Every structure is written in structure tokens, then in C-alpha cells.
């Protein structure tokens, strides 16, 4: 098991432990989850944005959810990952990568368990990625040679998660995603472009499984 997955699972386990701590509270003091029709909230990604199949350093992940009716919410998500490695002054040069993901889905919440609201749902995601590798022909000429890789991924998936309200109007949550995706990509070097065969896959996305929800 990779270190990143271990950290995410540990964070989810911590949230579950914290949520169970509310069980010992007096019934009148328990903070009730917000799932009423007309409620709206901002969603902030705290750990990765694997919901879109994106990997790498996270620049931002944000979204919104709106309850169309009691216990049913529409949500829209946007994610961005950006990284740059290497330097032009040394071989093998510089690698710059950017991923942008958007998604929309429906959450169906179950009966609250004290301060915790479990839910399941489905969503559609779209991811666009680009990667540029800059190399030199030789240390003598120091001529730049760019290799550009780009691709798109369309995903349809289901998810299960929970929101734990540790205070009124603010919740922490965990989520797992099972995604069926189809991808296409191409590579350009100089004036030559190669289109690669499309591929499909079914993956369990664990990144992006920790989030914060703020109601307004």
C-alpha cells in the first residue's frame, strides 16, 4: 500500500473516531447534519483531487452543493493540479505538467447518525491534462527540444462517503470513488504528432477523499 493511500485511510479513520465521540453527548447537544432542501454549501478538497483521476501537487480543489430536496443534493466540482520539476540549466531539463478537472453529480443522504450524515451518489467527470518535457540536444549546443503530451479523460462513477458536523454549519468528510473512464492522448515532438489509441479502465480513486463543507 502506497504512503499516500495510507495517509488518506488514516485521515478517514480519524474522522470516524471523532464522529463517534459525539455519541456520548446529551441528545439535545448533538449538532444535527444539514440536509434540508434549499441548503447550500461550499466544498473544499483537503487531500488530493483523485475524484477526477488527477495526481500530483494540488493547487486547488473547490466545489458547491445545493440540496434540491431533503436529503438529495446536486454538486459541482473543479480541481487543478500543477507541477514543474527540473531546471533549464541542467540536463535533463524541465518538466511542466497541468491537470484540470470538472465534475457534476448527485448525493443521496441517508438518515443521520448523530452528527454524521452518510451518503452515496453518482457523478460525471472530465479531465484535461498536458505535460511538456524540455530537453537539450547536447550540453554543447544547449538547444531546447520540447516533447508535449496531452490527453483527456471522461469518467462516470459512483461514490460513498460521509459528512461529520463538528460544529454548526461546518463538516469534515471522507469519500471513496469507483470510476469507469475512457481516455485519449497524443504526443508532439517538433512537427510530428502521434495520436495514441484510446483506453478504458475501472479504478478505485482514493485521492481527494478528505474534504471540508461550509454551509452558508
Amino acid at each position: 500500500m502506497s504512503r499516500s493511500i495510507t495517509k488518506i485511510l488514516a485521515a478517514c479513520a480519524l474522522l470516524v473516531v471523532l464522529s463517534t465521540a459525539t455519541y456520548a453527548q446529551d441528545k439535545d447537544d448533538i449538532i444535527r447534519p444539514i440536509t434540508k432542501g434549499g441548503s447550500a454549501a461550499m466544498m473544499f478538497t483537503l487531500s488530493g483531487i483523485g475524484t477526477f483521476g488527477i495526481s500530483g501537487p494540488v493547487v486547488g480543489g473547490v466545489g458547491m452543493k445545493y440540496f434540491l430536496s431533503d436529503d438529495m443534493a446536486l454538486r459541482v466540482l473543479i480541481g487543478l493540479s500543477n507541477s514543474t520539476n527540473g531546471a533549464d540549466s541542467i540536463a535533463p531539463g524541465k518538466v511542466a505538467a497541468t491537470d484540470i478537472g470538472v465534475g457534476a453529480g448527485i448525493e443521496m443522504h441517508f438518515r443521520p447518525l448523530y452528527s454524521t450524515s452518510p451518503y452515496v451518489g453518482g457523478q460525471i467527470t472530465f479531465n484535461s491534462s498536458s505535460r511538456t518535457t524540455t530537453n537539450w540536444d547536447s550540453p554543447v549546443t544547449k538547444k531546447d527540444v520540447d516533447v508535449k503530451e496531452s490527453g483527456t479523460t471522461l469518467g462516470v462513477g459512483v461514490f460513498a462517503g460521509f459528512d461529520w458536523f463538528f460544529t454548526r454549519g461546518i463538516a469534515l468528510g471522507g469519500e471513496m470513488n469507483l470510476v469507469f473512464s475512457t481516455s485519449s492522448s497524443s504526443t508532439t515532438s517538433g512537427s510530428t504528432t502521434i495520436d495514441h489509441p484510446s483506453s478504458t479502465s475501472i479504478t478505485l480513486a482514493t485521492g481527494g477523499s478528505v474534504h471540508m463543507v461550509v454551509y452558508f
Side-chain angles (χ1 to χ4, degrees):
M1 182 177 292
S2 68
R3 183 177 300 177
S4 60
I5 294 178
T6 301
K7 289 181 178 179
I8 291 169
L9 293 178
C12 291
L14 177 60
L15 291 177
V16 172
V17 170
L18 290 174
S19 66
T20 58
T22 64
Y23 296 174
Q25 297 181 19
D26 183 85
K27 192 171 183 179
D28 293 336
D29 294 334
I30 293 174
I31 300 170
R32 300 295 181 183
I34 300 174
T35 60
K36 185 176 178 59
S39 301
M42 294 290 295
M43 301 174 62
F44 300 94
T45 300
L46 301 182
S47 177
I49 42 182
T51 297
F52 309 101
I54 297 176
S55 61
V58 175
V59 174
V62 66
M64 288 190 65
K65 70 166 67 177
Y66 177 79
F67 281 84
L68 302 173
S69 62
D70 291 354
D71 301 327
M72 185 177 75
L74 171 67
R75 73 183 198 180
V76 179
L77 306 169
I78 300 174
L80 173 65
S81 174
N82 184 69
S83 63
T84 302
N85 299 310
D88 287 333
S89 59
I90 59 173
K94 181 174 63 176
V95 179
T98 301
D99 291 84
I100 300 175
V102 295
I106 293 289
E107 293 181 3
M108 296 298 298
H109 288 250
F110 299 112
R111 181 177 179 179
L113 181 62
Y114 293 88
S115 297
T116 302
S117 178
Y119 62 85
V120 296
Q123 67 182 4
I124 298 175
T125 60
F126 177 79
N127 174 36
S128 175
S129 63
S130 64
R131 178 184 178 93
T132 301
T133 303
T134 301
N135 292 312
W136 289 344
D137 273 346
S138 72
V140 178
T141 61
K142 297 184 178 181
K143 180 181 178 181
D144 288 344
V145 177
D146 288 344
V147 177
K148 299 181 179 180
E149 301 170 88
S150 60
T152 59
T153 301
L154 178 65
V156 179
V158 294
F159 55 82
F162 68 91
D163 290 332
W164 169 59
F165 287 76
F166 63 94
T167 188
R168 298 190 186 281
I170 303 178
L172 295 177
E175 189 173 296
M176 297 289 286
N177 302 270
L178 183 64
V179 181
F180 171 82
S181 62
T182 177
S183 303
S184 61
S185 61
S186 64
T187 301
T188 299
S189 180
S191 59
T192 303
T193 298
I194 300 175
D195 293 322
H196 303 292
S198 299
S199 63
T200 59
S201 64
I202 298 177
T203 58
L204 181 65
T206 56
S209 63
V210 179
H211 59 259
M212 180 171 66
V213 183
V214 180
Y215 284 80
F216 54 89

